[in-house]
Amino acid sequence: MEIVFVLALLSVGYLVGSVKIINQGNEALVERLGRFHKKLGPGLNYIVPFLDTIVLEESVRERVIDTEPQEAITRDNVSVGVDAVLYWRILQLERTYYAVEDVEEALKNLVTTTLRSEIGRMQLAQTFSSRNEINQSLLHQLDDATASWGVKVTRVEVQNITPAKTVMDAMELERAAESKKKAAISEAEGKKRASIEEAEGAVQSMRLIAEALKSQTNSREILQYLVAQRYVDANYKLGDSPNSKIVFMDPGQLNEAITNLMDIDQPPEGPNIGNGSANPNTGSTIPLGGNGNTGTGGRQGGGDRKMSN
């Protein structure tokens, strides 16, 4: 009975020692007498006690490595701080365990050096606009480098690209200057379009006025009135301007200009010669008596003077 009891205990111990349960999402490596023997999958598994040893049980689910910000130098010699997020998973647990000592540390170092190398190939402006290209290049390089480790890099995302504060200040000033330049160009283009539209409107108005005057019998008087009105308005605006100004104008010339605009006949200033009347066109005096050549009201002292018409 004692022998049977001992054998029963040995059998129970053997069964307990040989049964291994692996959780879903994990895998285990079994070594027999110090050499790799087999890999255990999720569920119920059996090993040989005292001969087989489970040396590793690891998750094969996708994992994330968040790298610390690292300093990198762009191709135009600008120092920036960069960091990235790496998504990876184990495909062949036995190769991961036997090919590299610490796979996570190896992946961190690899993504850091690869990221620095990729940033060094680009100008600073390209690093901001080519983030997708950087991610794809990193993914391709890391996937090739980790193929012998039995892992798969599924995704790489560059999180931040942060230049130094002095560089950021210079970029802000450059963007502000560029914005002012664009605003000035837009304002100039707007003024140009407004001037063109105003000129086109003036031409259209002139055409409408010309067509309207064709049907009027007093078109000449209307046109003279419009010109005089514009002249007066221009002088009013000139005087109403807030700018300081001094305008020297001869009143006689001003009256003459208004007279010419309004086409009003005005006799010349000064006394009439004799009993003649002033010619409204030439301003000369025509005698009222005599034979048309000399007049009784002519100027004395030099004899009778012939007055040309």
Side-chain angles (χ1 to χ4, degrees):
M1 292 296 295
E2 293 178 356
I3 296 174
V4 172
F5 181 73
V6 171
L7 292 176
L9 288 177
L10 291 175
S11 299
V12 172
Y14 179 83
L15 291 174
V16 172
S18 63
V19 174
K20 295 295 180 182
I21 298 176
I22 306 299
N23 296 327
Q24 183 68 36
N26 292 350
E27 288 183 352
L29 297 180
V30 177
E31 289 183 353
R32 175 170 293 178
L33 299 178
R35 294 175 60 89
F36 172 70
H37 177 61
K38 63 179 180 179
K39 181 171 62 176
L40 304 180
L44 186 62
N45 297 273
Y46 297 95
I47 61 173
V48 178
F50 308 110
L51 295 179
D52 296 341
T53 305
I54 296 179
V55 295
L56 177 67
E57 181 176 350
E58 189 65 62
S59 173
V60 294
R61 291 169 292 182
E62 188 171 79
R63 286 179 277 186
V64 180
I65 295 178
D66 190 358
T67 62
E68 296 293 331
Q70 302 290 330
E71 184 178 353
I73 305 297
T74 61
R75 193 171 65 181
D76 49 352
N77 295 325
V78 178
S79 177
V80 295
V82 293
D83 60 335
V85 176
L86 178 69
Y87 296 85
W88 66 286
R89 61 188 298 264
I90 296 176
L91 295 181
Q92 296 177 320
L93 183 59
E94 65 277 13
R95 298 181 64 178
T96 303
Y97 180 71
Y98 293 107
V100 60
E101 181 68 25
D102 189 341
V103 65
E104 289 195 11
E105 187 66 23
L107 286 173
K108 286 182 180 180
N109 294 332
L110 183 60
V111 70
T112 299
T113 55
T114 307
L115 182 58
R116 286 178 178 175
S117 176
E118 193 65 25
I119 293 296
R121 296 171 51 192
M122 295 185 175
Q123 300 281 349
L124 177 62
Q126 290 179 306
T127 59
F128 297 107
S129 59
S130 305
R131 187 164 297 190
N132 290 332
E133 288 78 0
I134 296 176
N135 294 337
Q136 293 298 324
S137 179
L138 289 175
L139 179 61
H140 179 71
Q141 296 182 50
L142 293 174
D143 196 25
D144 291 342
T146 58
S148 60
W149 297 350
V151 300
K152 172 67 176 178
V153 178
T154 58
R155 190 176 179 183
V156 182
E157 290 289 342
V158 177
Q159 293 188 99
N160 299 307
I161 300 177
T162 308
K165 187 179 184 302
T166 55
V167 178
M168 293 293 293
D169 294 340
M171 292 174 63
E172 289 295 334
L173 293 176
E174 183 179 358
R175 279 196 290 266
E178 187 68 21
S179 299
K180 291 181 180 179
K181 178 181 177 181
K182 291 181 179 179
I185 293 175
S186 300
E187 183 179 0
E189 291 178 351
K191 290 181 178 180
K192 180 180 178 181
R193 287 195 296 267
S195 300
I196 294 174
E197 292 175 358
E198 183 179 358
E200 291 177 351
V203 172
Q204 185 67 21
S205 299
M206 293 176 63
R207 289 177 180 174
L208 294 176
I209 292 173
E211 292 176 359
L213 291 177
K214 287 181 181 179
S215 60
Q216 301 293 330
T217 57
N218 57 344
S219 59
R220 179 180 177 81
E221 289 77 6
I222 296 174
L223 183 60
Q224 291 172 350
Y225 171 76
L226 293 176
V227 173
Q229 185 181 23
R230 293 297 297 272
Y231 178 80
V232 173
D233 291 341
N235 283 277
Y236 175 77
K237 291 181 179 179
L238 180 64
D240 193 49
S241 173
N243 299 327
S244 300
K245 63 183 72 64
I246 299 176
V247 179
F248 296 96
M249 184 174 292
D250 187 0
Q253 294 181 357
L254 178 61
N255 294 333
E256 183 180 356
I258 296 177
T259 302
N260 291 334
L261 289 173
M262 298 299 296
D263 196 20
I264 299 176
D265 295 335
Q266 181 179 353
E269 296 181 358
N272 293 335
I273 301 176
N275 296 326
S277 60
N279 189 336
N281 296 326
T282 63
S284 61
T285 303
I286 301 175
L288 299 179
N291 56 5
N293 295 325
T294 60
T296 59
R299 188 177 297 177
Q300 300 296 327
D304 294 338
R305 180 177 296 179
K306 294 181 181 181
M307 303 300 294
S308 61
N309 187 2

